[in-house]
Amino acid sequence: MNQHPEPGPGQPWQQPGGETPGWGLPPEQHHGGALEPYGGTGGYQPAGHPMPNEAPVATIGDIAISQNMVITPAGRFPIRGTVWTVTDMSRTERSTPTWAVIVAILIFWWTCLLGLLFLLVKDQKTSGHVQVTVQGHGHYHATSIPVSNPGAAFHINQQVNYARSLAA
């Protein structure tokens, strides 16, 4: 026995023409252009758009640079005429380590002021990141690179200066 009444003609929940309700067949799928793998990078490019096969000469975060191209996750574009920006958002803190304070207190009682020289010991800690942006030819990409020492931020600046020299 069915608990639900059969819908009569003209009921709002009945399909026009007496068809069985359902989703039916899906619409025809649009496949677009075929994707073809291109050499070495493990990525894909649209068919019919050949790109020069150049080896990267530098990598800054997720941006690769060849002699004539900038390669980002969003695509490739010529390096000539691009604008590069570096923003250093790292900081370096200097502090006296705990062990130096303890040794200075313990030795102070036996050697008077000689133990205070341990308070001159400084510990240096760098944290933060460097943001690099490239824009040109209708493209914009930004990457953030974590740094753990002041030399890393300097190295990233040198890489961007090299990219700027290729863009000129």
Side-chain angles (χ1 to χ4, degrees):
M1 179 166 129
N2 189 356
Q3 296 177 1
H4 303 287
E6 291 294 323
Q11 298 290 339
W13 58 82
Q14 184 171 0
Q15 293 287 340
E19 298 175 6
T20 306
W23 290 98
L25 295 175
E28 183 179 330
Q29 297 293 321
H30 174 70
H31 296 288
L35 294 177
E36 299 175 3
Y38 60 95
T41 61
Y44 288 88
Q45 68 178 1
H49 300 287
M51 292 288 182
N53 195 9
E54 298 179 353
V57 293
T59 305
I60 305 169
D62 59 357
I63 303 171
I65 304 162
S66 68
Q67 289 292 328
N68 299 312
M69 301 294 286
V70 176
I71 305 157
T72 67
R76 295 174 162 226
F77 51 95
I79 194 168
R80 187 158 309 276
T82 55
V83 177
W84 294 81
T85 308
V86 179
T87 307
D88 188 356
M89 297 183 197
S90 63
R91 64 181 184 160
T92 302
E93 297 174 347
R94 293 185 60 182
S95 61
T96 304
T98 307
W99 66 267
V101 174
I102 293 171
V103 170
I105 292 171
L106 293 176
I107 293 180
F108 176 76
W109 296 109
W110 292 291
T111 61
C112 292
L113 298 177
L114 190 61
L116 294 178
L117 290 177
F118 280 97
L119 295 178
L120 296 177
V121 174
K122 297 294 179 190
D123 191 17
Q124 187 170 322
K125 183 184 282 189
T126 301
S127 61
H129 64 278
V130 175
Q131 182 179 11
V132 177
T133 62
V134 58
Q135 57 186 359
H137 308 285
H139 294 275
Y140 175 84
H141 185 73
T143 186
S144 183
I145 306 160
V147 293
S148 60
N149 60 45
F154 178 76
H155 179 68
I156 293 168
N157 274 307
Q158 293 301 318
Q159 286 182 313
V160 171
N161 286 336
Y162 177 66
R164 286 175 179 153
S165 71
L166 292 175

